[in-house]
Amino acid sequence: MKNILAIACLFPLLAGAQKHEQACSVFYNINALLQSEHFNPKPTDDSLSAYVFNRVMREMDDNRMLLLQDEVDLLSKHKYKIDDYITGNDCSFFTDFVSVYKTALDRNTDIISDIVYGGINLNSTDSIYYSKEHFPYRTSKEQLKKFIGKKIVYDVLEDIAKL
């Protein structure tokens, strides 16, 4: 059941063009149907909220190359309230998610343009670190730009090596 609600939350967020009221009524109706017709309904509570929030954040920025820490902090205020929003048929929280997502996409488009038009130095002796654990979100646009630049160089060199 958690997966169904998480997936239902992802579609309008990722599409961005859905109207909040329409998405909200879909969530409300899915939850009502699951609560009344499922043979073993899970409660719509804070654990569901946290699960949906974490799933949405993971799908939105799995490799932490999109959002900055202050944007994650802004969205985190909704982490334990999504159940209340769904049961109360209130999806005003979408505005925060859509706004942050659009801002981050615009910023990263600018960063990538700057890197590409500024020239890529494939002869640098820089390091990039990977881990099975997630690194923290970057705290500034400059940190993000540096990481994205390193990642682009790494990807280009990896593609060249594969050829």
Side-chain angles (χ1 to χ4, degrees):
M1 183 166 118
K2 284 183 178 181
N3 284 336
I4 293 170
L5 284 173
I7 291 169
C9 284
L10 288 176
F11 286 126
L13 178 62
L14 296 178
Q18 287 262 344
K19 293 189 187 323
H20 298 189
E21 301 82 23
Q22 183 182 15
C24 201
S25 69
V26 169
F27 295 156
Y28 181 80
N29 291 335
I30 288 173
N31 184 51
L33 179 67
L34 289 172
Q35 294 301 321
S36 66
E37 301 298 326
H38 197 278
F39 74 96
N40 185 17
K42 303 278 191 243
T44 306
D45 57 9
D46 287 350
S47 68
L48 175 70
S49 291
Y51 175 81
V52 169
F53 177 83
N54 291 334
R55 179 88 183 251
V56 167
M57 294 302 289
R58 187 172 56 246
E59 293 295 325
M60 217 164 67
D61 191 11
D62 185 38
N63 53 11
R64 299 191 178 191
M65 290 179 59
L66 183 65
L67 300 175
L68 295 175
Q69 183 62 52
D70 62 338
E71 294 166 334
V72 173
D73 293 342
L74 173 74
L75 297 177
S76 291
K77 70 182 179 184
H78 301 294
K79 186 172 186 172
Y80 298 106
K81 296 179 183 177
I82 295 173
D83 62 314
D84 301 327
Y85 299 144
I86 291 171
T87 57
N89 208 11
D90 171 24
C91 291
S92 57
F93 70 99
F94 271 140
T95 305
D96 287 345
F97 280 86
V98 170
S99 173
V100 165
Y101 191 67
K102 284 181 180 179
T103 300
L105 285 176
D106 290 343
R107 178 186 53 244
N108 281 23
T109 300
D110 292 343
I111 287 172
I112 291 169
S113 293
D114 290 348
I115 291 169
V116 170
Y117 292 120
I120 298 173
N121 180 9
L122 298 178
N123 294 320
S124 66
T125 56
D126 215 342
S127 300
I128 188 166
Y129 297 98
Y130 289 98
S131 172
K132 290 183 181 179
E133 301 296 320
H134 281 296
F135 288 106
Y137 287 96
R138 275 93 188 150
T139 57
S140 70
K141 182 178 177 178
E142 293 75 30
Q143 286 179 338
L144 190 60
K145 183 175 181 176
K146 185 176 178 181
F147 180 75
I148 291 173
K150 288 179 179 184
K151 180 74 168 103
I152 289 172
V153 169
Y154 175 81
D155 289 342
V156 167
L157 292 173
E158 184 179 43
D159 287 344
I160 291 170
K162 286 180 181 178
L163 293 174

